[in-house]
Amino acid sequence: GSSSFGSATPHSIRLLIIILFVALLPYLLSFLCFLLAFVAAVFATPNFTSMELPKETPSGNLHQQMMWDLYKLQNEESRVKGDRVEIIFEAWKQLRGKCQRYWTDDIDNDKLFDAHEYLKAAISRCRSMVMGGGNDVKTIAPCHVEIMKAFEECKNLSSFANKKSSSTSSSDATPE
């Protein structure tokens, strides 16, 4: 027979393409996931410098004070130490839990469900950015602003929170 090493049949070319595709598929999927995460991070992070913040230290709850502390440090290239990051994460977790309680007390409220889901996603995204080395003020501060706004939306949509705040003081934004 006339079998030469250099000749390739259409079947062998298709088989080679399939093998290469299967071998490279995990790398392609990883790249697509990275690209999606990068695009989401770029377009989802609010611009901290364009937000209006108070000119003096607010009197109020823990979250306002935490935000003020971060605001004062925004122009420094400072990192937030691990123990402070854990305090911030715990505060975010408490806000998520409080929003979840609002939603479970008003389970048929679809807008409140959406607000709860958005808050969970914002916290998850922000925790990932901070844990991935973004434990600087310029990363944490916009995240905290976004999370506080999401919590306020949750609270405003909750009939339970609105009933409670009309009968008590305005300390409801502080986690229990």
Side-chain angles (χ1 to χ4, degrees), residues 41-51 125 138 142-143 145-146:
V42 167
F43 291 107
T45 304
N47 182 357
F48 185 52
T49 57
S50 69
M51 296 181 186
R125 184 178 62 257
K138 290 182 180 190
C143 277
V145 168
E146 179 183 8

Side-chain angles (χ1 to χ4, degrees), residues 8 13 51-52 61 78 124 141 148 156 162:
I13 292 174
M51 296 181 186
E52 291 186 25
N61 63 44
S78 61
S124 177
M148 285 304 300
N156 291 337
N162 291 327

Side-chain angles (χ1 to χ4, degrees), residues 17-116:
I17 291 172
I18 291 171
I19 290 170
L20 284 174
F21 179 74
V22 170
L24 295 177
L25 186 61
Y27 299 106
L28 179 63
L29 291 176
S30 294
F31 175 73
L32 289 175
C33 288
F34 167 77
L35 188 60
L36 181 62
F38 176 76
V39 168
V42 167
F43 291 107
T45 304
N47 182 357
F48 185 52
T49 57
S50 69
M51 296 181 186
E52 291 186 25
L53 293 170
K55 300 292 183 232
E56 57 188 51
T57 303
S59 60
N61 63 44
L62 169 71
H63 296 285
Q64 288 173 332
Q65 185 61 45
M66 190 182 304
M67 188 60 240
W68 178 249
D69 291 344
L70 290 170
Y71 174 69
K72 289 189 295 187
L73 293 170
Q74 76 172 326
N75 293 321
E76 299 177 19
E77 291 295 326
S78 61
R79 294 246 177 239
V80 179
K81 293 181 180 150
D83 58 335
R84 301 282 290 182
V85 169
E86 289 305 317
I87 291 169
I88 293 168
F89 284 174
E90 181 59 30
W92 293 350
K93 181 180 171 185
Q94 289 176 11
L95 290 173
R96 185 186 68 220
K98 193 166 217 180
C99 182
Q100 183 172 359
R101 285 192 298 279
Y102 290 154
W103 174 62
T104 56
D105 288 339
D106 194 2
I107 200 83
D108 294 326
N109 188 336
D110 291 338
K111 288 183 179 182
L112 184 54
F113 171 78
D114 292 341
H116 174 253

